[in-house]
Amino acid sequence: MSSVSKTASKTPIVTRPNEIVTIERHILDQQAAHPEARGDLSKLLYDIALTGKLIAREVNKAGLVDILGETGVTNVQGETVQKLDDFANECFVKTFDHGGQLCVMGSEEVDDPIQIPSKFECGDYVLLFDPLDGSSNIDVNVSVGSIWSIYRRKTESGPGTLEDLLRCGAEQVAAGYVVYGSSTMLVYTTGEGVSGFTLDPSIGEFLLSHPDMQMPKAGTVYSLNEGYRNLFFDSTVRYLEHLQTNDPDSGRPHSARYIGSMVADVHRTLLYGGIFMYPATKKAPGGKLRLMYEANPMGMIMEQAGGMASTGKERILDIQATELHQRIPLYMGSEENVKLAVEFETGVR
Ligand code: AHG
Ligand code: MN
Ligand code: MN
């Protein structure tokens, strides 16, 4: 950590491709490298891109049409559901319930497993998603996103069950997110590195803009809701004090950035390095963010880009889920930053 210069993290490590590659082409090329593949995962990835475009279109006109405001319904997390949450959730369900690749789905917005209607075939995969992350930011035109992860089913055949959904993140076969920001980007991994695509809205195509994304080994930005400082445990407060201590030689104090949309905060962390965290608090000792919809998919992206994802004590992707809407404390980002956070959280420092 001591070798980090203040400017080291300012330039994202991105190799610009000099060819025009659509996401379809990229998915096909990846599939071609696996002659045994039947194409089901590829179909799921195409449909992720389609869902992303449908949601992006709606998010982009959120200020124009009478779509703002809240439906007044509370979701399973006890939070107010906004109309765009509903829309995004429906987009996922309507895109994925009839393709024949999935046997069950799980959504942050839906209490129970989402079954595939009996008139459609069930497939070998399982999809979990946070249809719209950061939805409290919609009304103020700040980036939001969708986060998703795909597993192979555990049960043999027929409709999927809770057993297919309650998994360990290390079992993910693909994961990613779409961030609806100043441009719409789709970032995903199938366990062979991370690729980023930017939507060209004029042609409706995601084009490869960020091939083989690797995050900086260390960064000088930390991201968390510091308003909860008085609710944090001592280990977390001491860690924050360390980051804020003036020590120019080691690049401290670090800068704080917090958007309040995990998808956007993690996207920045992926590009610039540093750490995003949502620690345990005295009020919420289990953390706030969800293991299956937020921590696991983003954790896989971080690791595939050379970063780390931890609860502060253990690797996120090693946790076996016991509940669909399970929450978890979270520290993810550049390897050196996360290692340091873990040292504080485990009492090594
Ligand atoms: P969601 O909109 O899917 O419910 O997620 C909101 C999450 C996440 O995006 C963000 O990092 C966090 O909530 C913000 O929480 P605080 O307002 O407590 O900081
Ligand atoms: Mn979320
Ligand atoms: Mn959400």
Side-chain angles (χ1 to χ4, degrees):
M1 187 55 93
S2 55
S3 59
V4 185
S5 87
K6 236 352 199 177
T7 51
S9 66
K10 295 293 181 226
T11 314
I13 303 178
V14 175
T15 325
R16 302 279 166 206
N18 42 26
E19 294 144 2
I20 296 174
V21 179
T22 62
I23 194 164
E24 281 81 359
R25 179 55 174 273
H26 186 81
I27 293 167
L28 273 177
D29 286 352
Q30 271 195 327
Q31 190 189 320
H34 296 274
E36 75 291 354
R38 292 196 324 231
D40 280 357
L41 183 60
S42 297
K43 286 180 193 148
L44 290 172
L45 296 172
Y46 293 143
D47 281 345
I48 290 284
L50 172 65
T51 313
K53 285 191 271 189
L54 289 167
I55 299 172
R57 184 190 61 192
E58 224 48 33
V59 167
N60 288 341
K61 61 186 188 195
L64 292 173
V65 290
D66 185 27
I67 201 166
L68 298 182
E70 296 162 353
T71 59
V73 182
T74 1
N75 73 6
V76 64
Q77 321 287 348
E79 300 148 338
T80 312
V81 179
Q82 292 189 300
K83 283 182 184 171
L84 265 176
D85 285 289
D86 287 342
F87 174 83
N89 187 65
E90 247 185 76
C91 268
F92 270 92
V93 174
K94 284 185 178 167
T95 303
F96 285 99
D97 70 357
H98 60 278
Q101 290 86 37
L102 297 180
C103 64
V104 67
M105 291 180 260
S107 165
E108 185 208 83
E109 295 295 339
V110 181
D111 294 20
D112 299 315
I114 303 167
Q115 295 299 341
I116 303 301
S118 53
K119 60 183 172 187
F120 300 124
E121 273 186 35
C122 278
D124 289 337
Y125 290 94
V126 165
L127 175 70
L128 287 138
F129 52 90
D130 175 356
L132 205 60
D133 174 70
S135 47
S136 66
N137 280 318
I138 295 164
D139 285 358
V140 291
N141 205 355
V142 168
S143 298
V144 292
S146 304
I147 312 173
W148 51 273
S149 94
I150 295 170
Y151 297 80
R152 272 191 174 278
R153 68 181 302 164
K154 276 197 112 169
T155 52
E156 285 288 311
S157 57
T161 66
L162 194 58
E163 189 192 343
D164 294 305
L165 293 167
L166 296 183
R167 307 295 286 273
C168 176
E171 295 176 292
Q172 291 172 105
V173 294
Y177 60 87
V178 185
V179 58
Y180 314 107
S182 44
S183 56
T184 295
M185 271 195 74
L186 192 160
V187 175
Y188 83 90
T189 179
T190 53
E192 297 172 340
V194 180
S195 307
F197 301 81
T198 302
L199 180 65
D200 181 337
S202 64
I203 56 168
E205 292 274 12
F206 278 106
L207 301 178
L208 183 63
S209 52
H210 297 60
D212 194 17
M213 297 172 87
Q214 281 291 313
M215 64 188 307
K217 284 284 164 219
T220 53
V221 176
Y222 71 94
S223 182
L224 88 168
N225 189 338
E226 225 169 332
Y228 303 139
R229 192 181 185 104
N230 288 334
L231 293 171
F232 291 146
F233 292 98
D234 287 351
S235 51
T236 311
V237 174
R238 285 196 311 104
Y239 170 59
L240 289 176
E241 278 165 0
H242 174 83
L243 299 181
Q244 293 160 356
T245 302
N246 193 32
D247 182 10
D249 288 345
S250 62
R252 287 178 288 146
H254 286 189
S255 291
R257 294 282 186 275
Y258 190 69
I259 297 167
S261 292
M262 181 208 192
V263 71
D265 280 312
V266 171
H267 184 63
R268 183 200 54 246
T269 307
L270 176 63
L271 289 173
Y272 283 161
I275 187 165
F276 168 78
M277 38 193 160
Y278 205 109
T281 63
K282 287 168 194 159
K283 218 165 124 192
K288 172 186 176 182
L289 297 180
R290 298 75 166 183
L291 176 62
M292 302 309 293
Y293 313 113
E294 291 162 330
N296 277 337
M298 290 310 216
M300 184 177 183
I301 291 279
M302 289 285 115
E303 288 196 4
Q304 284 292 317
M308 281 178 71
S310 169
T311 64
K313 298 198 163 56
E314 57 184 319
R315 179 184 177 225
I316 296 274
L317 300 191
D318 281 341
I319 297 169
Q320 169 61 48
T322 51
E323 283 170 45
L324 198 48
H325 298 282
Q326 191 169 339
R327 296 173 192 259
I328 202 88
L330 192 83
Y331 299 76
M332 56 171 64
S334 297
E335 186 184 324
E336 286 191 24
N337 299 64
V338 177
K339 277 186 176 160
L340 183 69
V342 170
E343 283 181 18
F344 276 92
E345 294 299 353
T346 53
V348 173
R349 284 213 189 213

